Amino acid sequence: MSNKSRTADLLAYAGLTAVSLFALFPFFWMVSTSLKTDNAVFLFPPRWLPDEWQWGNYARVFTEMPYIRYFFNSAYIAVLVTAGTCFASALAGYAFARLRFPFKNALFLFLLSGMMIPTEVTAIPLFTWMSALRLVDTHFPLIVPPMLGAGGMFGVFLVRQFLLTVPVELDEAAKMDGCSAWRTFVSIMLPMMGPVMATVSIFTFLGSWNEFFDPLIYLNSKELFTLPLGLSLLTTDAGVDWPLLLAASTLSTIPILVVFFFAQNKFIEGIASTGLK
């Protein structure tokens, strides 16, 4: 390797390291503040690390709020939304990429246009519909509509674009072997969708886990609250207990890190893959 190439690599790594540190700083500050006392939070100049490590702030999360209940509500909603979105996206994406039916392209453009509609625009009519069905103050509006909303449409778009890179000769070979469209989808296309399904899973889980607007509209009973809505209860007229709030926020990031850790290889492969190994 020449000196010029080595210098370019060093500069690239230095730049990436600087950007990474900049991106990780808010997370570092959140964890650091979660281990401070109330008075240490507002010291100036700020202390990067606490003088006294308050590990008890994390114990307080479970005693001063029903954290486990909120965590369970968010977890099972996010899992169901992710599973349903991946299933629907795989089927619809395959249909738009491989099957022939009337007005296919027009329907796909109509589907994509739905991604341009802000959630706030559909909030009132959707709430009216859910209220008429007596589904307000349940988790149903947080599970089913998101699968059919912009998140689900984005998943369909990703799957379709991914399958368009797969040679049609695979479908033709499967058809010659006697495979139906369903058998081709299950046995050939679905196993190849690992990278794009990981991408859809990460984005869908992250969006559902952090959703605040919909739970705020549909949920009234505190036992049904999700984590983002539950954390908002820590902000009162008396002020904000910042160490407690950031300790709970730190714990709430763990599922996101776990999901990305297990899906990161497929996620990276989905970015670099052309659809065929």
Side-chain angles (χ1 to χ4, degrees):
M1 180 182 294
S2 65
N3 291 333
K4 186 176 181 179
S5 299
R6 190 172 304 170
T7 303
D9 290 341
L10 289 176
L11 290 175
Y13 283 122
L16 292 174
T17 301
V19 172
S20 300
L21 292 176
F22 181 78
L24 289 173
F25 177 76
F27 183 79
F28 163 77
W29 187 252
M30 177 179 67
V31 176
S32 175
T33 305
S34 70
L35 295 170
K36 295 178 181 178
T37 61
D38 291 335
N39 295 330
V41 173
F42 300 102
L43 289 179
F44 187 84
R47 305 289 177 85
W48 301 113
L49 294 175
D51 296 328
E52 299 179 4
W53 298 74
Q54 303 294 320
W55 296 104
N57 290 336
Y58 286 89
R60 290 170 54 210
V61 171
F62 299 96
T63 57
E64 298 191 18
M65 61 181 295
Y67 184 85
I68 295 179
R69 165 58 61 183
Y70 297 157
F71 184 93
F72 173 77
N73 290 341
S74 288
Y76 100 86
I77 290 173
V79 169
L80 289 179
V81 171
T82 302
T85 300
C86 288
F87 179 73
S89 298
L91 287 175
Y94 173 74
F96 280 114
R98 284 296 196 260
L99 302 184
R100 296 180 180 179
F101 53 90
F103 309 109
K104 182 175 72 172
N105 293 332
L107 288 173
F108 183 69
L109 290 176
F110 178 77
L111 185 71
L112 291 183
S113 65
M115 296 173 57
M116 305 176 188
I117 302 175
T119 304
E120 293 77 10
V121 174
T122 60
I124 295 178
L126 189 58
F127 179 86
T128 304
W129 182 36
M130 292 297 167
S131 179
L133 296 175
R134 300 183 182 276
L135 294 174
V136 174
D137 203 25
T138 70
H139 288 153
F140 183 88
L142 308 181
I143 297 175
V144 176
M147 300 179 190
L148 308 175
M153 299 172 191
F154 181 66
V156 174
F157 172 77
L158 286 181
V159 173
R160 176 186 179 271
Q161 298 306 113
F162 180 85
L163 291 179
L164 287 179
T165 65
V166 179
V168 294
E169 287 78 8
L170 290 177
D171 300 66
E172 295 172 355
K175 188 175 182 180
M176 291 179 62
D177 289 338
C179 291
S180 62
W182 175 254
R183 181 66 182 275
T184 302
F185 168 75
V186 173
S187 301
I188 299 177
M189 296 300 170
L190 195 58
M192 298 179 63
M193 292 183 193
V196 71
M197 284 292 99
T199 304
V200 174
S201 298
I202 291 175
F203 281 109
T204 304
F205 187 90
L206 181 62
S208 178
W209 184 264
N210 291 329
E211 181 61 46
F212 179 80
F213 183 73
D214 285 348
L216 180 64
I217 292 177
Y218 292 109
L219 300 181
N220 300 319
S221 304
K222 289 187 177 181
E223 62 271 14
L224 297 177
F225 280 10
T226 58
L227 260 181
L229 201 57
L231 293 180
S232 68
L233 298 179
L234 297 177
T235 302
T236 63
D237 294 337
V240 182
D241 189 339
W242 288 108
L244 178 64
L245 176 60
L246 294 181
S249 299
T250 301
L251 292 175
S252 68
T253 62
I254 294 178
I256 299 175
L257 296 177
V258 171
V259 170
F260 183 79
F261 176 79
F262 284 105
Q264 63 175 333
N265 290 334
K266 290 292 185 181
F267 177 72
I268 296 173
E269 183 181 346
I271 296 176
S273 175
T274 59
L276 191 64
K277 297 181 180 180

